[in-house]
Amino acid sequence: MNTIKIKDWGLNINSDKAPLIIAGPCSAETETQVLQSCKGATEQGAQILRAGIWKPRTRPGSFEGVGNVGLPWIKKAGNKNGLPVTIEVANAKHVKEALDHKIDILWIGARTTVNPFAVQEIADALKGHDIPVLIKNPVNPDLELWIGAVERFLDAGINKIALIHRGFSVTKSAPFRNQPLWEIPIEFKRRYPNIEIICDPSHICGKRELLSQISQKAFDLSFDGLMIETHINPDVALSDALQQVTPEGLGQLLKNLIRRKTLTDNVDFLANLEALRVDIDSLDRDSIELLVKRMEVVREIGRYKKENGVTILQMNRWSKLFDDRVSASIDAGLSEIFAKALIQVIHNESIRQQEMVMNAES
Ligand code: PEP
Ligand code: MN
């Protein structure tokens, strides 16, 4: 993907101070609230200021944002602090208002990325404009949909693009509001290493107590920045009160994060690391070979079952095998969660292999 990196967006964003910090309130509520929250966020190290003007809410009747009247407030906050500002746009009308008010950066919300019609409408409205766009992951864990949204903007000639990982709305499971499913942004980065990803711990966590754990993890996974909702008085915020922090809270959070280097030129370290990686490469090859052999035996059993008119799945056997393998794995030192997932995935493939054998003409 031919995207332009944040430092080259022409917005004077100091990427040496990386990772990039985007902060500001979930929603613009009053001019004073926006100005105070953004001033505080800037003092604590924010490099881009945010505020939601139009808010996508789950149920009607909750606070749906102040609308157009808030646009000059966030712009003024940007001018006063010398920082670029970003707001969410969800349709062509929002885009027009944002461009008219010279908003520096747009973001696409998770409930918009999920809808290709809406994404296309926004991309079309941006044709001919040179403005950066941050694209949040869709609410559902669908990597292709996320990639598709980026492609729609690229096709419209927008190439100042970065991603925001804000977690996924899958079966609710404590403690997070949205499950991080780190493997999805990591796979995006693996396929398109050039594109930067900012983590949004606020919407992943849903409560401020969890922010530091997710922020640290994002740092340790080499994310390129953080977006943290920051409000001058979070407890009375009109949206997302539980997850917002005060500017001081933001400062404290950032101060406590440990930044590890992604690279080092220490030759001993590099040599030892390389040796360990050679071990891993060879163990992975062995594991693959073992799985290939296992699947050969699985197909052999499948043929045998077919000849004797026996079903693929015998519940007793599967149940016993599952318990046996999980406890053997745990005894051998693997974690229970990993052992269960591993056995399950191997079994699913074994069933699939036997189905192929059963359905093959012979
Ligand atoms: C937000 O950033 O305030 C927001 C509405 O986020 P999301 O689209 O991730 O829910
Ligand atoms: Mn929010």
Side-chain angles (χ1 to χ4, degrees), residues 7-116:
K7 68 175 170 39
D8 299 320
W9 285 358
L11 290 172
N12 208 11
I13 298 169
N14 180 358
S15 50
D16 298 339
K17 237 171 146 191
L20 180 74
I21 304 300
I22 306 176
C26 175
S27 305
E29 299 167 6
T30 66
E31 179 169 2
T32 312
Q33 169 257 2
V34 172
L35 292 178
Q36 290 183 348
S37 303
C38 289
K39 177 170 184 282
T42 308
E43 286 163 1
Q44 302 298 336
Q47 292 141 285
I48 298 176
L49 298 171
R50 63 154 279 156
I53 299 294
W54 304 280
K55 299 304 295 181
R57 303 310 298 276
T58 306
R59 305 277 301 271
S62 4
F63 173 66
E64 291 187 326
V66 291
N68 293 1
V69 68
L71 289 162
W73 305 343
I74 182 70
K75 194 61 202 170
K76 188 167 171 186
N79 289 338
K80 275 183 173 264
N81 295 294
L83 293 181
V85 298
T86 182
I87 65 163
E88 173 175 354
V89 291
N91 58 40
K93 200 171 130 288
H94 295 165
V95 168
K96 183 175 180 319
E97 294 293 343
L99 293 172
D100 286 352
H101 284 83
K102 306 217 165 356
I103 297 297
D104 307 284
I105 302 168
L106 305 179
W107 96 71
I108 308 302
R111 291 168 194 76
T112 304
T113 310
V114 82
N115 179 352

Side-chain angles (χ1 to χ4, degrees), residues 80-261:
K80 275 183 173 264
N81 295 294
L83 293 181
V85 298
T86 182
I87 65 163
E88 173 175 354
V89 291
N91 58 40
K93 200 171 130 288
H94 295 165
V95 168
K96 183 175 180 319
E97 294 293 343
L99 293 172
D100 286 352
H101 284 83
K102 306 217 165 356
I103 297 297
D104 307 284
I105 302 168
L106 305 179
W107 96 71
I108 308 302
R111 291 168 194 76
T112 304
T113 310
V114 82
N115 179 352
F117 288 136
V119 173
Q120 193 59 54
E121 175 184 319
I122 297 168
D124 290 343
L126 284 175
K127 269 188 191 146
H129 296 278
D130 178 28
I131 184 164
V133 178
L134 304 168
I135 305 177
K136 287 202 173 198
N137 65 258
V139 274
N140 58 328
D142 186 340
L143 176 61
E144 299 303 322
L145 203 51
W146 198 4
I147 294 174
V150 175
E151 288 169 341
R152 286 177 200 278
F153 285 100
L154 283 171
D155 289 348
I158 300 292
N159 47 11
K160 294 175 177 167
I161 293 178
L163 306 175
I164 300 182
H165 166 233
R166 52 78 77 196
F168 300 88
S169 177
V170 287
T171 340
K172 292 254 179 297
S173 91
F176 302 115
R177 175 180 176 191
N178 290 292
Q179 299 308 305
L181 305 182
W182 297 100
E183 64 277 15
I184 295 181
I186 290 172
E187 175 60 11
F188 205 135
K189 191 89 176 170
R190 191 188 67 80
R191 289 208 224 165
Y192 305 100
N194 199 40
I195 193 156
E196 290 151 298
I197 310 188
I198 315 275
C199 181
D200 169 352
S202 304
H203 290 90
I204 292 177
C205 295
K207 32 183 168 323
R208 61 184 78 94
E209 295 72 30
L210 300 172
L211 291 174
S212 60
Q213 143 190 9
I214 289 291
S215 304
Q216 184 62 55
K217 178 129 180 184
F219 270 24
D220 289 338
L221 294 174
S222 302
F223 276 61
D224 300 284
L226 298 174
M227 181 192 250
I228 309 262
E229 288 187 338
T230 307
H231 190 293
I232 194 68
N233 192 355
D235 290 334
V236 299
L238 298 180
S239 59
D240 291 348
L242 296 180
Q243 72 196 29
Q244 303 203 58
V245 287
T246 58
E248 293 68 34
L250 173 71
Q252 202 59 44
L253 173 82
L254 298 178
K255 206 171 93 210
N256 291 338
L257 291 175
I258 302 165
R259 278 191 56 196
R260 300 179 173 94
K261 332 181 251 281

